[in-house]
């Protein structure tokens, strides 16, 4: 005797739920695999936040609402673009004005320290601080010390005394 | 302390939704909680925005006070109306199957949280666009208007602020931008979206398989990645789903309360992303069409009163969006009208690339075949996905896709292949819960009829 509930719709439903089960099993497999892989990756090397390279600069920049961010790196490269974005996040609320060296403070993130120092010399700025990641903060004395932290003001006084 | 603002928002949302309904026409308790928590977070975001709008600065104590007063008023109202009673929850019986399912859900949630923790700062452009804005609004003091300055065009200053303001609200309790908060927000919205999807299906079908679509998205690694890496797409996805589910319920139950709720969710949708504004305009157009079409029907399935409730809710909740666009947004700097531009005109080839890329994306391995499954579901469902019950969601999806394709075609500012590669997957991501509801409801509703 044929099953009363048997219908073409039921077959279609069974096919759909079988496919759903297949996708769910596939998902679970890949999610578990991905999680285990990430646990191993994080055990080998902890998460690196490129913005950490800029920590501490905000104390020297003081209350300046905006600072220049000069780079000779290719920003189409994702890592370089990430570094700029993370620097902006860490230094917030200071706004980073890309490749504008006309501000009181300019952060240099160049391919080499020599390239950064050359550019700093060209614009007549004073390097204030360099860190082990090659990030250099420079101060433009021409732009005054309106927003600078006290340490920078003292630094600029020393520089002006040394100047002939 | 990190979770306290989320609980306050959730409580406000639950009480607001409770206030909108009479005893008889309340949604099921699970749907109520998931929907109301999202609405509560939206309310908190808006109250924070009003601090900037009215006082021209962030006033932490004022925002917290307004929340507490609102919570107190809603609780007092509840006491006066004597509506405190034990909720009637039809929990499934404790069986081996249900216990296994509960364990599976718990296991999956642990994996979701673990995925989020692998990227504690979220996706790299999530902080460029969303977390940076939140931190800036918290710390910039009187200079907060600089958020819209041209120097930070990379952060899309024309994007609305719902998500950053939720994080600002949460940070008011820690007094500093704690890194974990945006992660908690994104995990919250991921769980809310999955919960809303399944509870809506459960309300409609009372079928245990209502959990399937939620399990499908929570186990999909690519969905999890986009959901928990602190982008706004999961927030958009939540409000889009909520707006259409409540509108569909309004149509079915003829309840003005559901229509009002849909208007509220559509209002929050406008403040998420520019795509949210587009979706809200389409939903509003559908409401107008429903109202006009149902005038000829008896009984009417969408009355003028319902329409009034929808637009009242939408108008009130869209005020911050309106203020944002009129007073602050610098406008979209990345738009060239290809229809009028001689340098970058629209081309037939561009349209071919868009359609080709769409097919490629839908069949991409990163989705683990979920779009193929939904395509198969659509074909196997025959006429069922197109019945009057489902035309609202189907109609919305058709119009939304048409607008999205037209925008990709007309805005010729970006090189199309690059633009599609970075944005199309997010658009599909935000639509996935809605499409899952559409397809699964056709199959599960049928199950109920059979039973």
């Amino acid at each position: 005797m044929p099953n009363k509930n048997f219908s073409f719709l039921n077959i279609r439903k069974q096919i759909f739920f079988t496919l759903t089960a297949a996708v769910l099993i596939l998902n679970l497999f890949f999610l578990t695999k991905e999680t285990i892989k990430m646990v191993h990756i994080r055990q080998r090397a902890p998460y690196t936040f490129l913005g950490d390279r800029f920590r501490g600069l905000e104390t020297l920049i003081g209350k300046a609402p905006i600072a220049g961010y000069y780079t000779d790196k290719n920003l189409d490269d994702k890592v370089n673009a990430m570094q700029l974005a993370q620097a902006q996040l860490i230094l917030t609320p200071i706004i980073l004005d890309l490749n504008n060296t006309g501000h009181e403070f300019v952060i240099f993130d160049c391919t080499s320290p020599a390239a950064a120092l050359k550019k700093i010399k060209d614009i007549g700025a004073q390097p204030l601080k360099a860190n082990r990641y090659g990030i250099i903060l420079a101060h433009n004395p021409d732009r005054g010390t309106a927003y600078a932290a006290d340490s920078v003001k003292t630094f600029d006084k020393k520089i002006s005394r040394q100047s002939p | 302390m990190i979770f306290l603002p989320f609980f306050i928002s959730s409580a406000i949302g639950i009480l607001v939704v409770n206030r909108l309904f009479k005893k008889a026409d309340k949604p099921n308790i699970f749907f109520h909680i998931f929907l109301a928590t999202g609405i509560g977070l939206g309310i908190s975001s808006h109250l924070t925005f009003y601090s900037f709008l009215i006082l021209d600065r962030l006033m932490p104590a004022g925002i917290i006070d307004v929340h507490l007063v609102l919570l107190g008023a809603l609780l007092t109202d509840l006491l006066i109306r004597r509506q405190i009673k034990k909720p009637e929850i039809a929990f499934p019986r404790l069986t081996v199957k249900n216990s296994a399912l509960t364990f599976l859900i718990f296991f999956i949630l642990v994996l979701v949280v673990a995925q989020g923790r692998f990227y504690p700062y979220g996706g790299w452009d999530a902080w460029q666009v969303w977390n940076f804005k939140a931190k800036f609004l918290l710390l910039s003091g009187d200079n907060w208007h600089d958020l819209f300055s041209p120097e930070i065009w990379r952060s899309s200053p024309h994007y609305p602020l719902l998500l950053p303001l939720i994080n600002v609200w949460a940070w008011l309790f820690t007094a500093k931008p704690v890194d974990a908060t945006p992660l908690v927000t994104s995990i919250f919205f991921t769980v809310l979206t999955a919960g809303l999807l399944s509870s809506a299906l459960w309300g409609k079908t009372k079928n245990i398989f209502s959990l399937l679509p939620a399990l499908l998205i929570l186990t999909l690694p690519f969905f999890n990645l986009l959901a928990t890496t602190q982008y706004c797409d999961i927030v958009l996805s939540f409000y889009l789903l909520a707006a259409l589910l409540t509108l569909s319920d309004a149509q079915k139950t003829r309840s003005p309360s559901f229509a009002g709720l849909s208007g509220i969710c559509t209002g929050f949708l406008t403040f998420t992303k520019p795509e949210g504004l587009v979706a809200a305009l389409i939903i509003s157009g559908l409401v107008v069409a429903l109202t006009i079409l149902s005038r000829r029907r008896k009984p009417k399935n969408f009355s003028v009163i319902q329409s009034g409730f929808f637009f009242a809710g939408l108008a009130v909740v869209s005020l911050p969006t309106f203020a944002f666009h009129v007073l602050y947004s610098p406008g979209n700097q990345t738009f060239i009208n290809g229809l009028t531009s001689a340098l970058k005109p629209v081309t037939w080839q561009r349209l071919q690339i868009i359609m080709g890329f769409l097919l490629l994306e839908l069949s991409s391995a990163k989705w683990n075949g979920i779009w193929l499954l939904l395509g198969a579901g659509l074909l196997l469902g025959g006429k069922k996905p197109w019945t009057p019950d489902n035309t609202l969601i189907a109609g919305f999806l058709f119009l939304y896709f048409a607008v999205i394709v037209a925008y990709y075609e007309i805005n010729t500012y970006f090189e199309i292949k690059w633009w599609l590669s970075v944005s199309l997957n997010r658009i599909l991501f935000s639509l996935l819960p809605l499409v899952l509801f559409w397809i699964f409801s056709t199959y599960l509703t049928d199950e109920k009829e059979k039973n």
Side-chain angles (χ1 to χ4, degrees), chain B residues 78-204:
Chain B
L78 194 71
L79 284 170
I80 291 169
R81 293 192 302 137
R82 293 181 182 180
Q83 278 211 343
I84 297 177
K85 60 173 190 174
K86 198 179 163 191
E88 292 161 14
I89 308 172
F91 281 112
R93 275 176 298 167
L94 192 69
T95 59
V96 176
K97 187 176 81 177
N98 290 345
S99 308
L101 209 58
T102 312
F103 175 76
L104 183 67
I105 292 169
F106 183 74
F107 173 67
I108 289 167
L109 285 178
V110 169
L111 290 182
V112 170
V113 175
Q115 288 259 313
R117 284 173 59 97
F118 289 139
Y119 303 96
Y121 294 92
W124 78 269
D125 47 346
W127 55 67
Q128 184 171 42
V129 178
W130 305 110
N131 295 350
F132 156 67
K133 285 180 183 169
K135 197 173 168 188
F136 194 87
L137 286 168
L138 183 78
L139 301 175
S140 58
D142 294 337
N143 296 332
W144 74 275
H145 289 273
D146 291 348
L147 189 63
F148 311 107
S149 63
E151 285 88 2
I152 46 169
W153 64 270
R154 283 166 187 273
S155 299
S156 302
H158 64 288
Y159 274 25
L161 299 170
L162 190 114
L163 175 62
L165 289 167
I166 290 175
N167 289 329
V168 172
W169 152 243
W171 281 336
L172 296 184
F173 288 77
T174 49
K176 59 179 182 177
V178 175
D179 293 333
T181 300
L183 177 62
V184 172
T185 306
S186 62
I187 290 174
F188 234 77
F189 270 99
T190 308
V191 174
L192 289 181
T193 307
L196 190 72
L197 171 61
S198 278
S199 60
L201 274 172
W202 168 259
K204 197 176 172 184

Side-chain angles (χ1 to χ4, degrees), chain A residues 12-13 27 42 86 89, chain B residues 118 127 135 216 368 446:
Chain A
R12 288 190 288 187
K13 207 180 293 172
N27 279 0
R42 287 285 177 267
Q86 296 184 10
L89 184 76
Chain B
F118 289 139
W127 55 67
K135 197 173 168 188
L216 276 174
N368 278 1
D446 200 53

Side-chain angles (χ1 to χ4, degrees), chain B residues 425-442:
Chain B
N425 53 22
R426 291 189 195 170
I427 290 171
L428 291 176
F429 161 86
S430 59
L431 286 174
L432 184 58
L434 185 64
V435 181
L436 279 165
F437 178 83
W438 177 36
I439 301 298
F440 272 84
S441 67
T442 63

